[in-house]
Amino acid sequence: MDERLFQFRLRSSHPAPERATRDLVVEFLTPDGTWEPQQLSLTMPGFRLNLISLLLCQHTYLVANARERQLPLQRVEASFEVATSSSLIVERVAGDFRMALDPTAGAEDRARVDAEAIAWMQERMTHCPISRNLPEGVSKRIGLRLVEA
């Protein structure tokens, strides 16, 4: 069977003081190679809605866990790829999430974002219920790393 590849990217900002998600943008790579902003609607293909839900669930868990740890999250960017069979059965999910800290945050706040905190957040992202409901045989790789603001 032929593999189908669905690619998305995400950007969001999280300004101080509340660090709530602002300016969330999800884009889909069209077959002609252009990135198309996604506006959720009832006319959107249902399978694409499902994949966007998977991406947004991962993002929600990242942001919620950063807030729980009171980390000075400023921006999140992600590349997200889902491979399926020709009959749209999910076979592989790969996400690369990058978070940037607020450069105006204090040194003590920024120091809380160490390797242990990132590993903890990455592990917690695996608890997203949409991801957990993927079949056992699906290869899932979700990465999280810190980048410069």
Side-chain angles (χ1 to χ4, degrees):
M1 281 200 246
D2 292 333
E3 178 181 85
R4 295 185 64 182
L5 192 61
F6 297 87
Q7 296 180 9
F8 298 88
R9 62 185 182 189
L10 174 146
R11 291 184 315 277
S12 63
S13 61
H14 307 272
E18 72 281 346
R19 304 281 178 214
T21 299
R22 300 258 171 98
D23 305 319
L24 176 66
V25 176
V26 174
E27 296 174 303
F28 172 70
L29 185 61
T30 64
D32 69 2
T34 59
W35 287 101
E36 180 180 276
Q38 299 298 284
Q39 300 297 323
L40 303 182
S41 72
L42 295 176
T43 60
M44 179 178 278
F47 189 69
R48 191 179 309 167
L49 281 170
N50 182 52
L51 299 181
I52 291 170
S53 296
L54 178 58
L55 170 58
L56 292 177
C57 189
Q58 299 294 322
H59 176 265
T60 298
Y61 270 60
L62 186 162
V63 173
N65 289 307
R67 290 180 74 181
E68 181 178 321
R69 287 243 172 145
Q70 299 178 335
L71 305 180
L73 183 64
Q74 180 187 47
R75 184 180 78 246
V76 173
E77 296 176 350
S79 303
F80 201 72
E81 189 174 276
V82 179
T84 73
S85 67
S86 59
S87 58
L88 299 179
I89 303 301
V90 175
E91 296 175 344
R92 179 174 41 86
V93 175
D96 176 30
F97 286 80
R98 300 162 307 277
M99 62 181 195
L101 302 181
D102 186 342
T104 65
E108 184 177 303
D109 290 337
R110 294 174 61 81
R112 284 198 301 268
V113 186
D114 57 11
E116 184 274 328
I118 292 172
W120 178 83
M121 290 172 57
Q122 184 173 338
E123 191 279 327
R124 293 286 299 264
M125 289 170 71
T126 67
H127 296 274
C128 157
I130 298 171
S131 181
R132 285 194 342 235
N133 279 295
L134 289 170
E136 280 298 314
V138 174
S139 169
K140 298 175 253 184
R141 184 195 56 77
I142 302 296
L144 175 61
R145 61 191 164 100
L146 188 60
V147 296
E148 292 297 316

